[in-house]
Amino acid sequence: MKVHVHLAYGFGEDRWGRRFDSGELIGVNERDPYGYRHAMPMVEAMTKSVDHPEGRLGRLVRLGLRAVLGFDVLHAWRNRRAMRAADVVWTHTESQHLAVSQVFALQRLTPAERPKLLAQSVWLMDGWDRLSGLRRAYYRRLMRSADMLTFHSQENLEMARQRLADRPSELVLFGINASEQTPPVRGQAGDPQRIIAVGNDVHRDWPTLIQAVARHPDWRLRIVSTKCPAALAEGIANVEIAGVDNNDDLKALYRQATIAIVPLSPNAHASGITVLQEAALNGVAAIASDVGGLRDYFDADAVTYYASGDVDGLEQAIDGLLSDSEKRYAQAVAAQHRMGPDGLSSYAFARRHVEISQSLVGETRSPAGRRQAAVA
C-alpha cells in the first residue's frame, strides 16, 4: 500500500524540520508534523506534500482562492502527481481533504482512477450550521469523494453521521509524541500552589479560569498563551499571562506546576486534547471543562472535569486537587498510563490510519496503470 500524506502549506518536511531543529515549535512535537512517519514501516511507501516555491503573486493567488473557497486548492493541485501515484491519500484537516476532492473533480477522475481518500476533519462539523446553504451543498458534494471521514471525538463523529449519513465515518483519537515521560511525584503539605494553563485555541475560556483563581490570593496561575488578552488579568496579582520562548521554559513550568487546567467553551472537536496529553506526559494532574469529547481520551479517574463556564465548579475542582496530594498523584498516574504506543500517542494515531487504509484499499486494489498515468 502506497500512502500520500497531504498537509497544509507550511507543513512540508523541509520547512517544518528547520522550525523543529531551531526550537521554534513550542510544545510536544516531532520532526515531521503529527508523527505520520511512524506509519512508514507499516506501508510499502509514503510520500508527503511539498511546499512548492511561490512568489508574491503565486502566494496572493493561493491565499485568495483559499479565502473564497475555504480550502487551499492550489497547494493540493501542485501536489496532484504524488497523490495520483498513491493507493490512498491521508489529510489532516478539512482544508486539505476538500482541496484534494476538488483536485479530483478538476481532473475528472473516476473512483477507479483516483486513490482512496481518508478525509480527516477537525473544525468542520462545529461550524457546519454557520455555513451558508450553498457552501454546505458544495462541501457535501466534495465529500462524496471521501472513502472514509474521520474525526477526533465521538461528538464530532455523531454530528457527521447525522449530516452526512451517506458517507462512512470513523473515530480516530489524536495523539502526540509520547516517547518522553516524566513520572508523577507525590506532593507534600505546604507545597506551592502553582497552576499552569496552556493554549492558544479560540475555545479557551480564560475569563472563567481567571475569575476562579482571583478569589484565592494564595494560588498562583501562569497562563502560557499569546492569545489570552492581558486585560483579563489587570489588577489580579496572582495571575500572570505570558508566552514562552522555547520548549525548555515550557517544560520547566510544567515541572514546577502543581496542577494544569484546560478551561474551554463548548465545542465538539476535542479542543485542548494536546495540552491534556502534554500534562499527562509531564506527570501533572489536570482539570478540564467537560466538553468536546475529551472523555474519549481521559476518563474521570485521569482528569477532573467541571461544567464549562461554571466559575464555582472550577474553583471547587481546583481546591479539591490542590488540597489532596494523593488524589493528584493517582490522577496523574492514571493519565500517564493512557499515553504510549498502545494508548494515546502519535504512533497509535498513525497506526489507526494504516488500519483504516488497509480496509479501504483491500476492497478494491488500485489498477497498476494509474501510477503510470500519474506522470502524464
Side-chain angles (χ1 to χ4, degrees):
M1 179 174 68
K2 297 184 178 181
V3 172
H4 178 75
V5 183
H6 185 69
L7 301 176
Y9 193 92
F11 285 65
E13 283 189 305
D14 289 344
R15 184 175 301 183
W16 180 275
R18 289 195 299 271
R19 294 176 65 200
F20 180 85
D21 292 340
S22 69
E24 291 179 47
L25 301 174
I26 303 300
V28 178
N29 290 288
E30 301 180 64
R31 206 175 186 281
D32 73 310
Y34 311 113
Y36 286 107
R37 66 179 175 81
H38 292 298
M40 292 181 70
M42 310 177 204
V43 301
E44 180 183 350
M46 176 182 286
T47 59
K48 296 179 183 178
S49 55
V50 174
D51 297 335
H52 288 76
E54 58 184 10
R56 290 185 179 181
L57 179 59
R59 177 177 172 79
L60 181 64
V61 172
R62 182 175 62 81
L63 295 180
L65 286 171
R66 190 179 72 177
V68 171
L69 299 175
F71 53 82
D72 195 345
V73 67
L74 188 52
H75 175 49
W77 179 259
R78 292 168 178 168
N79 284 274
R80 65 191 182 281
R81 288 184 175 85
M83 294 179 200
R84 288 286 300 276
D87 294 307
V88 59
V89 174
W90 297 349
T91 60
H92 195 71
T93 76
E94 52 273 19
S95 179
Q96 289 91 62
H97 75 66
L98 292 169
V100 170
S101 293
Q102 182 63 77
V103 168
F104 289 166
L106 291 171
Q107 293 181 300
R108 298 184 178 181
L109 299 180
T110 67
E113 294 173 322
R114 65 171 179 78
K116 299 291 186 181
L117 175 58
L118 199 160
Q120 189 162 261
S121 293
V122 179
W123 304 281
L124 184 58
M125 290 299 103
D126 282 75
W128 187 261
D129 291 338
R130 294 191 296 274
L131 298 175
S132 68
L134 180 62
R135 190 167 291 260
R136 282 200 300 269
Y138 176 36
Y139 286 1
R140 185 178 282 111
R141 182 172 182 177
L142 289 177
M143 293 171 78
R144 289 175 184 160
S145 296
D147 298 281
M148 182 65 70
L149 305 177
T150 63
F151 302 91
H152 294 329
S153 80
Q154 191 67 35
E155 289 185 25
N156 242 340
L157 180 63
E158 293 304 323
M159 293 167 72
R161 286 177 173 174
Q162 292 173 12
R163 296 162 174 169
L164 304 160
D166 61 330
R167 306 313 306 148
S169 53
E170 291 286 348
L171 177 66
V172 175
L173 296 180
F174 179 71
I176 64 175
N177 182 5
S179 59
E180 295 185 14
Q181 301 188 15
T182 301
V185 177
R186 279 188 166 87
Q188 298 178 356
D191 284 347
Q193 298 183 321
R194 297 180 178 137
I195 304 167
I196 185 173
V198 180
N200 292 317
D201 189 273
V202 296
H203 287 94
R204 286 298 192 276
D205 179 15
W206 300 123
T208 295
L209 173 59
I210 292 172
Q211 288 179 57
V213 171
R215 299 173 178 179
H216 297 264
D218 55 326
W219 298 352
R220 292 290 181 269
L221 169 62
R222 170 66 183 270
I223 294 177
V224 183
S225 176
T226 58
K227 300 294 180 63
C228 179
L232 291 176
E234 285 184 2
I236 306 176
N238 62 334
V239 177
E240 178 186 5
I241 302 172
V244 292
D245 294 328
N246 53 64
N247 271 324
D248 288 340
D249 289 346
L250 181 60
K251 289 179 181 178
L253 288 174
Y254 269 119
R255 288 167 183 167
Q256 294 166 11
T258 313
I259 60 173
I261 302 179
V262 183
L264 300 163
S265 55
N267 71 90
H269 65 269
S271 175
I273 190 52
T274 298
V275 174
L276 281 183
Q277 292 186 41
E278 287 180 355
L281 292 175
N282 282 283
V284 180
I287 297 171
S289 304
D290 194 4
V291 294
L294 295 178
R295 288 179 186 262
D296 297 334
Y297 295 80
F298 296 104
D299 61 23
D301 290 334
V303 170
T304 295
Y305 291 102
Y306 72 98
S308 177
D310 183 355
V311 177
D312 293 336
L314 176 54
E315 181 184 10
Q316 292 168 13
I318 296 172
D319 186 58
L321 270 189
L322 289 179
S323 61
D324 191 337
S325 61
E326 283 303 311
K327 182 179 180 181
R328 290 198 307 271
Y329 178 76
Q331 185 174 295
V333 168
Q336 196 166 93
H337 281 170
R338 285 283 291 135
M339 305 299 298
D342 295 322
L344 299 173
S345 65
S346 53
Y347 177 86
F349 178 66
R351 183 182 60 206
R352 181 75 172 123
H353 279 71
V354 172
E355 293 168 351
I356 294 174
S357 299
Q358 288 173 335
S359 68
L360 294 176
V361 173
E363 292 172 2
T364 306
R365 291 296 295 182
S366 305
R370 193 186 70 227
R371 281 190 281 277
Q372 296 176 0
V375 300

